[in-house]
Amino acid sequence: MPSSEGVGVTAPSDARARGTRLPRVRRRRQLLAAAQEVFVARGYHAAAMDEIADRAGVSKPVLYQHFPGKLELYLALLEEHSEVLVEKQREALESTDDNRQRVIASFRAYFDFVAGDGEAFRLVFESDLRNLPAVREKSEETFQRCAELIGAVIRQDTSISDEEAHLLSIGLVGMAETSARYWLNNHGSVPKDAAEQLVARLAWRGISGWDLQRAAGEQD
């Protein structure tokens, strides 16, 4: 997610020489970094284990010692980057008690995620494997976990029902994801800070209608 941020992925170039022995954890990170480069560049179906091994500077048997197949590599990356996104959302919501600033921080978390190095966001948001149950379930789980974090704040600070709070949080997460991806795919034609503020302001105009607690003296 940013692709290597928060997950300790080691760049493949750190250990190019074949036969170099690395601790298992470091080797795994190296292989995941190489796989991410290939998956992002070629897409899952066009990626080959031979190319991933070559990118990591290891033999194919070494790659198979850590991951029995291409799908296991992909799922490991999806898991790590999904955790990064959820943690970014958690940190954003815990960064302040001011709900308007929470909305801004929440949208910033999504923009930061899609703007990260390596285009890891594509593994989470633009996978060509969404038809596979394991990938679909992980993607939906990530979406729901982000929504639950936001929904908890809404429930805490409004009188609306749990079901209504969850529906609002689903809408906010979808808005954040869609707007951030659109912004990136249009080459950031609007400066990142301005884009975050613009979309967050739209969201706040709606969500503040439920009498969310605000900082004293704050105005819409």
Side-chain angles (χ1 to χ4, degrees), residues 49-66:
M49 292 292 273
D50 285 336
E51 183 177 1
I52 293 170
D54 185 66
R55 183 73 61 96
V58 302
S59 65
K60 202 156 84 166
V62 168
L63 178 58
Y64 278 112
Q65 286 173 10
H66 292 263

Side-chain angles (χ1 to χ4, degrees), residues 165-220:
H166 185 65
L167 180 59
L168 286 175
S169 69
I170 290 290
L172 288 170
V173 170
M175 184 178 177
E177 175 187 326
T178 302
S179 59
R181 289 169 56 196
Y182 177 84
W183 169 81
L184 186 68
N185 289 332
N186 281 271
H187 310 292
S189 54
V190 177
K192 180 172 174 291
D193 288 348
E196 295 165 356
Q197 293 281 341
L198 187 67
V199 184
R201 183 180 180 186
L202 173 62
W204 175 249
R205 287 282 186 173
I207 199 69
S208 62
W210 277 271
D211 295 325
L212 280 169
Q213 297 169 5
R214 309 178 216 173
E218 182 184 326
Q219 297 181 353
D220 291 343

Side-chain angles (χ1 to χ4, degrees), residues 96-118:
T96 177
D97 292 330
D98 181 322
N99 281 316
R100 184 172 187 176
Q101 295 304 314
R102 275 176 170 158
V103 171
I104 294 171
S106 180
F107 276 83
R108 181 179 298 121
Y110 273 86
F111 276 79
D112 286 347
F113 184 72
V114 303
D117 294 336

